[in-house]
Amino acid sequence: VILKALTVENFRQFFGQQTLTFSDHQDRNVTIVYGANGSGKTALLNAFTWALFKQTSPGFERPDDVVNHRALAEAEEGADIVARVVVVFEHENQEYTVERSAVQRIRAEGDLRVKEALSVTFVDEGGRTHNRTDHAEGTINQILPERLHRFFFFDGERIENLVKPDSYAEIEDAIKTILGLTVIERAIKHVDDARKVLEKEYSAVGSDEVKAIQTRLDAARGEKETKTEERRRALENRSANAAQLDNVNARLAELEDAADLQRKRSDLEEALAGIQTELAARRRSLSTRLSDSGFLAFAEGLVDHTASTYEDLRERGEIPTSIKLQFVEDLLERGACICGNPLHEGEVAYEKVAGWRQRAGRQDVEEAWMRLSANARAFKTRRKEFFDYVHETNRERAVLRDQEATTKDKLSAIKESIDELDSDEIQGLERRRDELKSAIDSDNLRLALAERDILELDRRIADLERELEVAGAAIAKARVAQRRVVVARESRDVFSSILNLRTEEVRRQIDSRVKQVYTQISFKPYVPSLDEAFHLDLRKTSGRDEDLSVAKSTGENQILSLAFVGAVAEHARDRYRESQAEGRTDGMLSFRGGIYPVVMDSPFGSLDENYQRQIADAIPRLAPQVIVFVSKSQGLHAVQDVLMPRVDREYVIEYATPKADQDRETIELRTGVHPYVEPVDGPYEWATVRPA
Amino acid sequence: MATADTRKLIADLLAGADEDTRKVVLEVFKIERDRLYQVTPYGVKDEIAAAIKDIVR
């Protein structure tokens, strides 16, 4: 970044519009602005930081009060007075213009700040202008990081604060910014935020549900085993009882008195079983038919309605239509009627043919109607067949039920006859026979219940297995979600480790540069150091192994701070040159750096002459471009003796003061004598900057 | 530029991480670098969460 110009308009002491341009000469890289105390030197320093970052230095009192008082006083009520600062700088061969303004409206009841605005434009190498006002702050920050502004725009008298304990955090912060570690710090924070988002998603796909389904499935499978066992036992009992019954029947058939009756009974029982099988078969068949075609019983109205609607359409000639829509469209497209007449859009013939579009039928609709009508007729036939079947089956069932009742009556009569036989063995066998039949009935009942339960359990198990399959997908999902959380956590840890490695490396590099720069400035046998906790300290070698911290004077602190600023700026420049030379960014390992100017107010303060000379000697080396604000009472000799060979441009702030007893003052420079302080009439002070 | 030592330490660190973590670290770095100069970078965490979901499937 090379500063080209600064324009102030009605900003603080500066009445009207004034512009300063700055040296960017390689050997004479210093611009000096002279001004009396209170004349506006600090205002000029703050003009830069206000325009670029809306920041002001601690010595800049009433920071919101930026509009020039004389301009406000001379304006009429209702007028808007604008305070404006324009900074022009060059960055990578493009010229940027940053303009910030504040508008104050004059009102009887007190002036009101009505508007503030910031705009950024740049002109590229081809001379095209680009407006970056929508991203003004981001654009400025990208070129001149705000976190660094205190290191490049500073009040020289306060620079020593940089080496006080309050500043350690600020130093660490600045180092991280200038060396591109902020990106890693942000990554750590944002990855951790993302981890929280992913953790929430993980807990939403937890596996409790799966466990519950598995428990229910296990229970259903256990129950099915029990029921299957019950069924097996019922079957075994039934066959054992049936075998015994066969024996009893066989014995009865052997006994002379009962043999005839028993044979008849066996035949009848066989016939009864046949009848009952037939009945069951018809019941099943009827039930199947009802569930397949039962709807036909209710379709009568629908069928008739469809058929009659179709017939109406047909009778009215709407189905099938004499002319198809496609036919009409084809004629229109061809541009000729079948009679040979041409059809041109807009003409009568065309419109007449086109009118047939409304009346022409669509092939697909007609076909659908015909299919529906044919289906409706088939429905009617199927409905008749269905009712025929139901009636016939019910008639057959009635016959079978009659046969069943007759057979049962016959069996009862036989049983009565057998009961009347006078034989203990026969009666005993008959009782046993009754017991066995009753046992077989109850076996059948148990069997039927077990089978019904097994069927139901099979259904339930199939359902649960399906549920488990779906939930199984959720298990896989949960595993992925959990893995994402782990990866987020590990990534955050990797970034933390990278940050620690890079911070330590950068600290070591800056430490070594501060030592180098300090040695160039100071004649004292002290060594500065930036320790692990980012404490900037000055030590002297005691001759033993351990270095001793020295008590620093204001001068030492100022030199140490300037050495630090110089070291950071130099480091950033080297990084920038490296990245330009390589023409690439090397992922996490590099930072583009930057070339920054240094703008300082009162760098000499009230230091002793020897310190002033050392600082004057150091200033041109701090940055490729240096802008210094000085008063003639602070370091003028040092400037003229030491700094002058490096100075390219000089300005003097002419300060107009209404103070009654103020004498007129001038400043004598190599270019001659210039007005410095001017007493004026009236209530307001103001300042004007003039090239010297 | 990082010194050879730091480069090696970072390279070792990345090599020691599993593949998904390595991919996520590089992707996140890209996202952060692209959005570094946004004063308030809204939605970065969601962008990163989406990138992680895309990498870990």
Side-chain angles (χ1 to χ4, degrees):
Chain A
V1 174
I2 295 290
L3 294 168
K4 307 288 275 185
L6 172 76
T7 298
V8 285
E9 181 185 340
N10 293 333
F11 181 79
R12 299 287 279 211
Q13 290 97 320
F14 297 94
F15 177 66
Q17 194 186 77
Q18 298 162 58
T19 298
L20 297 85
T21 59
F22 307 110
S23 165
D24 57 356
H25 196 282
Q26 201 179 343
D27 298 324
R28 293 192 309 283
N29 61 335
V30 181
T31 300
I32 295 195
V33 181
Y34 302 94
N37 288 335
S39 67
K41 297 195 299 295
T42 305
L44 283 181
L45 171 76
N46 281 283
F48 283 108
T49 55
W50 184 75
L52 295 168
F53 312 113
K54 213 192 164 194
Q55 295 282 348
T56 52
S57 67
F60 189 71
E61 288 167 3
R62 296 173 287 111
D64 288 331
D65 188 11
V66 292
V67 186
N68 180 265
H69 288 184
R70 180 178 161 193
L72 288 175
E74 291 177 1
E76 288 175 9
E77 196 180 328
D80 286 345
I81 302 299
V82 184
R84 193 191 324 268
V85 176
V86 182
V87 179
V88 180
F89 62 85
E90 192 184 299
H91 174 65
E92 295 185 346
N93 298 324
Q94 292 177 342
E95 193 175 270
Y96 288 76
T97 302
V98 175
E99 177 178 326
R100 191 184 291 275
S101 58
V103 181
Q104 197 139 327
R105 182 163 297 165
I106 312 298
R107 300 190 315 168
E109 61 270 35
D111 297 346
L112 183 73
R113 172 73 61 89
V114 287
K115 204 173 96 185
E116 266 198 41
L118 170 68
S119 77
V120 176
T121 53
F122 70 86
V123 179
D124 64 21
E125 287 166 87
R128 287 179 294 271
T129 302
H130 303 262
N131 192 330
R132 298 286 295 163
T133 301
D134 287 348
H135 311 281
E137 279 156 9
T139 305
I140 295 169
N141 221 8
Q142 198 166 355
I143 301 166
L144 283 161
E146 185 182 338
R147 283 164 107 183
L148 296 180
H149 84 269
R150 282 176 203 275
F151 294 84
F152 299 114
F153 299 93
F154 56 84
D155 181 343
E157 286 182 79
R158 291 170 191 266
I159 186 73
E160 64 180 75
N161 291 334
L162 214 53
V163 292
K164 296 198 171 149
D166 294 353
S167 303
Y168 298 154
E170 199 183 340
I171 288 178
E172 187 174 353
D173 199 44
I175 287 178
K176 284 177 177 172
T177 301
I178 205 163
L179 293 148
L181 300 179
T182 317
V183 72
I184 301 172
E185 277 184 328
R186 283 205 193 186
I188 293 168
K189 185 187 178 303
H190 292 144
V191 170
D192 211 41
D193 289 345
R195 175 189 59 80
K196 288 174 198 155
V197 172
L198 295 169
E199 255 172 12
K200 262 188 203 154
E201 287 182 16
Y202 171 51
S203 64
V205 288
S207 60
D208 285 356
E209 191 197 352
V210 175
K211 283 184 202 147
I213 297 169
Q214 190 63 56
T215 309
R216 270 155 52 213
L217 184 60
D218 290 346
R221 283 177 177 152
E223 212 178 322
K224 186 185 166 186
E225 271 176 35
T226 311
K227 292 290 172 189
T228 309
E229 178 59 21
E230 273 177 33
R231 181 177 64 178
R232 192 188 58 77
R233 277 205 305 272
L235 274 168
E236 268 178 19
N237 280 345
R238 192 178 69 172
S239 59
N241 288 330
Q244 282 189 47
L245 185 64
D246 284 349
N247 289 340
V248 170
N249 285 338
R251 181 62 191 148
L252 280 169
E254 281 168 12
L255 296 170
E256 198 182 339
D257 293 346
D260 199 30
L261 287 166
Q262 178 57 32
R263 267 194 300 277
K264 278 185 191 163
R265 181 157 71 177
S266 289
D267 291 344
L268 284 168
E269 277 178 341
E270 206 174 308
L272 182 63
I275 292 164
Q276 285 173 335
T277 305
E278 285 283 308
L279 265 172
R282 277 175 180 61
R283 193 174 57 239
R284 275 198 303 276
S285 160
L286 193 60
S287 142
T288 309
R289 192 73 176 251
L290 277 169
S291 65
D292 286 352
S293 315
F295 71 93
L296 290 166
F298 309 99
E300 190 178 27
L302 179 68
V303 169
D304 290 344
H305 183 67
T306 308
S308 75
T309 307
Y310 175 73
E311 277 309 309
D312 283 353
L313 287 168
R314 201 178 61 76
E315 275 169 23
R316 287 208 303 271
E318 290 177 23
I319 290 178
T321 47
S322 49
I323 291 183
K324 302 282 182 283
L325 179 64
Q326 192 56 51
F327 175 68
V328 179
E329 296 289 0
D330 289 347
L331 288 180
L332 293 172
E333 198 185 324
R334 205 175 58 186
C337 185
I338 44 171
C339 61
N341 281 333
L343 300 171
H344 297 305
E345 213 171 336
E347 289 178 4
V348 177
Y350 182 96
E351 295 308 323
K352 274 194 172 169
V353 174
W356 273 93
R357 274 179 178 146
Q358 312 302 320
R359 283 167 283 169
R362 282 186 53 180
Q363 186 92 16
D364 52 348
V365 175
E366 277 181 27
E367 280 168 8
W369 259 111
M370 277 186 255
R371 271 200 307 278
L372 187 63
S373 171
N375 282 340
R377 273 194 291 275
F379 263 38
K380 211 160 184 174
T381 314
R382 280 180 64 195
R383 187 168 182 273
K384 185 178 176 312
E385 283 169 4
F386 170 73
F387 278 117
D388 289 349
Y389 169 83
V390 171
H391 293 144
E392 176 59 19
T393 307
N394 278 338
R395 198 188 54 74
E396 286 171 2
R397 285 174 75 202
V399 171
L400 285 165
R401 271 200 291 269
D402 280 351
Q403 288 175 356
E404 185 187 31
T406 313
T407 311
K408 279 180 176 172
D409 287 348
K410 283 180 185 166
L411 282 166
S412 295
I414 288 173
K415 181 164 176 52
E416 276 171 28
S417 302
I418 291 175
D419 286 346
E420 282 167 11
L421 292 174
D422 186 18
S423 160
D424 287 346
E425 190 187 0
I426 290 172
Q427 294 313 315
L429 284 168
E430 195 61 16
R431 275 196 303 279
R432 180 67 188 140
R433 195 178 176 278
D434 290 344
E435 282 167 13
L436 287 167
K437 278 183 82 72
S438 152
I440 287 170
D441 283 346
S442 101
D443 289 339
N444 278 335
L445 183 65
R446 284 215 305 278
L447 196 61
L449 288 174
E451 279 179 347
R452 188 202 61 190
D453 289 348
I454 287 168
L455 215 63
E456 169 58 28
L457 283 165
D458 278 343
R459 266 200 297 272
R460 203 193 305 169
I461 287 167
D463 286 349
L464 287 167
E465 279 172 346
R466 264 195 302 278
E467 276 184 48
L468 195 66
E469 215 172 289
V470 174
I475 294 178
K477 238 180 175 177
R479 275 202 202 104
V480 172
Q482 187 187 24
R483 169 109 188 91
R484 286 169 177 164
V485 172
V486 171
V487 167
R489 211 179 293 146
E490 284 175 2
S491 306
R492 178 201 59 197
D493 294 345
V494 167
F495 275 120
S496 296
S497 304
I498 292 173
L499 181 67
N500 291 339
L501 285 169
R502 293 283 287 126
T503 305
E504 176 51 20
E505 177 187 45
V506 160
R507 188 202 60 76
R508 274 190 279 113
Q509 290 172 342
I510 298 277
D511 175 61
S512 116
R513 281 180 189 278
V514 171
K515 286 183 167 71
Q516 216 179 324
V517 178
Y518 181 84
T519 317
Q520 288 167 5
I521 303 174
S522 177
F523 56 84
K524 294 259 173 101
Y526 300 154
V527 179
S529 76
L530 186 65
D531 69 13
E532 279 76 6
F534 287 85
H535 296 188
L536 190 56
D537 203 358
L538 203 54
R539 289 161 180 274
K540 69 174 173 187
T541 309
S542 64
R544 281 167 283 172
D545 288 339
E546 203 181 344
D547 289 347
L548 286 179
S549 193
V550 293
K552 293 165 292 194
S553 64
T554 306
E556 287 303 336
N557 272 340
Q558 245 174 294
I559 290 174
L560 186 57
S561 299
L562 285 175
F564 177 68
V565 167
V568 171
E570 193 181 339
H571 198 91
R573 280 200 299 279
D574 284 356
R575 297 289 77 80
Y576 181 74
R577 288 191 189 115
E578 273 173 12
S579 74
Q580 294 290 303
E582 286 183 16
R584 67 190 170 93
T585 51
D586 190 2
M588 256 149 287
L589 304 175
S590 72
F591 167 62
R592 289 179 62 212
I595 296 177
Y596 303 109
V598 165
V599 180
M600 49 186 159
D601 179 19
S602 309
F604 305 109
S606 46
L607 295 176
D608 292 345
E609 179 108 9
N610 58 344
Y611 279 122
Q612 288 184 357
R613 285 175 182 278
Q614 285 172 55
I615 288 173
D617 185 52
I619 281 173
R621 281 180 272 147
L622 290 177
Q625 184 185 36
V626 183
I627 297 164
V628 187
F629 304 117
V630 292
S631 67
K632 70 175 183 182
S633 61
Q634 293 175 342
L636 192 58
H637 294 301
V639 168
Q640 289 182 334
D641 296 350
V642 185
L643 196 54
M644 205 42 77
R646 302 291 298 269
V647 175
D648 184 56
R649 273 172 227 196
E650 293 170 276
Y651 288 89
V652 176
I653 301 173
E654 186 185 331
Y655 176 53
T657 175
K659 206 171 154 199
D661 55 353
Q662 178 67 47
D663 293 332
R664 184 168 187 274
E665 273 187 53
T666 57
I667 182 168
E668 191 179 345
L669 302 173
R670 59 181 170 175
T671 51
V673 177
H674 301 273
Y676 195 57
V677 177
E678 285 285 324
V680 289
D681 293 333
Y684 304 107
E685 57 169 2
W686 74 87
T688 314
V689 186
R690 299 184 201 283
Chain B
M1 199 57 51
T3 62
D5 280 354
T6 310
R7 273 168 181 276
K8 189 176 178 322
L9 287 170
I10 293 174
D12 289 350
L13 190 71
L14 285 169
D18 73 41
E19 199 184 335
D20 283 347
T21 304
R22 197 163 48 240
K23 281 185 191 165
V24 167
V25 167
L26 296 173
E27 187 59 29
V28 167
F29 187 77
K30 218 164 79 185
I31 292 170
E32 292 291 351
R33 201 176 45 190
D34 288 349
R35 302 184 66 170
L36 180 63
Y37 297 107
Q38 285 182 13
V39 179
T40 318
Y42 290 113
V44 181
K45 70 169 182 189
D46 297 321
E47 205 178 319
I48 290 174
I52 292 174
K53 283 198 226 169
D54 202 42
I55 290 166
V56 184
R57 284 161 179 271

